[in-house]
Amino acid sequence: MSKMKIAFQGEPGANSHIAIVEAYPDAEPMPCATFEDALSAISSGEADLGMIPIENSVAGRVADIHHLLPASGLFIIGEWFLPVRHQLMAVKGTKLSDIKSVESHVHALGQCRRIIRKLGVRPIVAADTAGSARDISERKDKSVAAIASRLAAKIYGLDILAEDIEDEAHNTTRFVVLAREAKWAEQGSGPLVTSFVFRVRNLPAALYKALGGFATNGVNMTKLESYMVDGNFFATQFYADVDGHPNDKGLAFALEELKFFSREFRIVGVYPGHPFRATFSETQE
């Protein structure tokens, strides 16, 4: 029986690769050059699923899934939270004092500012973390280091010179698992998340009215993002995550109200909430 293939953006050793290994240990990770390539691999059937990072607790939005998802016709069937641990690595035999510059993805460089400043090295933006690790391993230049994962250091035969160098201990990336077919989680099967995209009608206070039903029906909205449609300043689409199942009474009423004030509405996923969510519920003062 062939292994399930899961597409991700980046090179072997990327954080998305680690998320796949953790969430689906028996699957075959499939590296893709861009997010678009990863999505088209799922759409074409070349990959069974995709593991796409959408937000990071330090850097904010990662992939523009809000643009890519509606156009792709794919669905969210799960989520995964990965604590991100960055390692400073270089070719074997390198000492910290040898390093003059460090390469990595722009987010990784931004998440490790403290050590970059402390070492007084020049940050150089690369396409992704694992790619920078592969690149420095091929160049064999001891004056250049990379910031990437422990897995990347192992894959590309690099020495880790400094461990867990991220500025913030809470540094965590949220991934969504994408599939060709919608697969709604069963109502009542535990904490669930419903994700949807919508566009409100061009009326005064339309957004306020569209969202009012969530407040009156006691539905917790955990994410709401707006973004332009086709570069139009006045055509705004929204992406939202809420707690619950669309057939739950409160959420059903809230979505009914939303649809009344929206010209477009589409549920892109109903899936189990990852256990990590329970660790950041707000405590009452």
Side-chain angles (χ1 to χ4, degrees):
M1 190 175 153
S2 62
K3 278 187 170 185
M4 176 169 66
K5 284 186 179 175
I6 304 181
F8 69 95
Q9 186 277 326
E11 303 205 21
N15 284 311
S16 301
H17 182 178
I18 297 169
I20 292 169
V21 171
E22 284 189 5
Y24 299 92
D26 299 327
E28 180 187 328
M30 181 181 160
C32 299
T34 65
F35 288 118
E36 286 84 352
D37 290 342
L39 299 194
S40 69
I42 310 160
S43 300
S44 70
E46 198 183 342
D48 300 289
L49 301 174
M51 182 71 79
I52 305 294
I54 64 167
E55 54 195 338
N56 174 271
S57 61
V58 177
R61 187 188 288 185
V62 182
D64 274 333
I65 197 71
H66 323 78
H67 289 294
L68 300 172
L69 193 58
S72 71
L74 298 174
F75 298 90
I76 301 173
I77 62 159
E79 66 174 358
W80 194 260
F81 286 83
L82 179 76
V84 176
R85 300 290 172 256
H86 291 304
Q87 319 300 323
L88 183 71
M89 58 194 69
V91 294
K92 290 198 178 295
T94 303
K95 299 192 292 290
L96 272 177
S97 56
D98 297 331
I99 299 167
K100 301 287 182 286
S101 62
V102 60
E103 299 182 8
S104 197
H105 185 275
V106 64
H107 282 167
L109 294 170
Q111 291 162 16
C112 302
R113 286 193 183 98
R114 208 170 290 147
I115 193 166
I116 292 171
R117 259 201 320 270
K118 185 181 164 190
L119 294 173
V121 295
R122 188 164 61 96
I124 298 171
V125 175
D128 59 82
T129 54
S132 63
R134 177 186 52 76
D135 195 38
I136 68 160
S137 76
E138 289 170 355
R139 282 173 16 219
K140 307 255 188 300
D141 180 350
K142 287 188 177 181
S143 72
V144 186
I147 293 172
S149 68
R150 200 174 289 279
L151 178 60
K154 186 179 172 186
I155 289 171
Y156 302 111
L158 298 170
D159 280 352
I160 294 176
L161 305 183
E163 298 183 310
D164 301 344
I165 59 169
E166 59 283 347
D167 294 345
E168 305 289 345
H170 66 70
N171 189 356
T172 303
T173 297
R174 179 187 175 216
F175 295 80
V176 288
V177 181
L178 300 182
R180 282 184 298 285
E181 305 289 329
K183 192 176 104 186
W184 283 21
E186 209 174 303
Q187 188 180 12
S189 59
L192 300 179
V193 179
T194 294
S195 296
F196 54 91
V197 290
F198 66 98
R199 272 173 78 179
V200 292
R201 297 180 188 281
N202 197 5
L203 300 165
L207 180 62
Y208 174 79
K209 290 170 182 170
L211 297 181
F214 294 94
T216 54
N217 288 288
V219 175
N220 185 29
M221 182 172 282
T222 55
K223 184 177 182 66
L224 178 67
E225 288 214 10
S226 64
Y227 53 103
M228 284 182 197
V229 180
D230 300 327
N232 185 334
F233 281 98
F234 306 102
T236 306
Q237 188 147 306
F238 295 89
Y239 168 92
D241 292 336
V242 294
D243 289 345
H245 190 284
N247 295 339
D248 294 346
K249 193 175 170 188
L251 183 50
F253 283 143
L255 292 176
E256 206 54 51
E257 207 162 316
L258 175 84
K259 283 186 240 181
F260 184 78
F261 292 102
S262 299
R263 47 184 290 211
E264 285 176 32
F265 169 81
R266 176 173 165 250
I267 290 177
V268 292
V270 180
Y271 48 95
H274 188 275
F276 183 82
R277 285 179 176 267
T279 68
F280 60 85
S281 55
E282 288 195 39
T283 51
Q284 297 297 317
E285 290 294 326

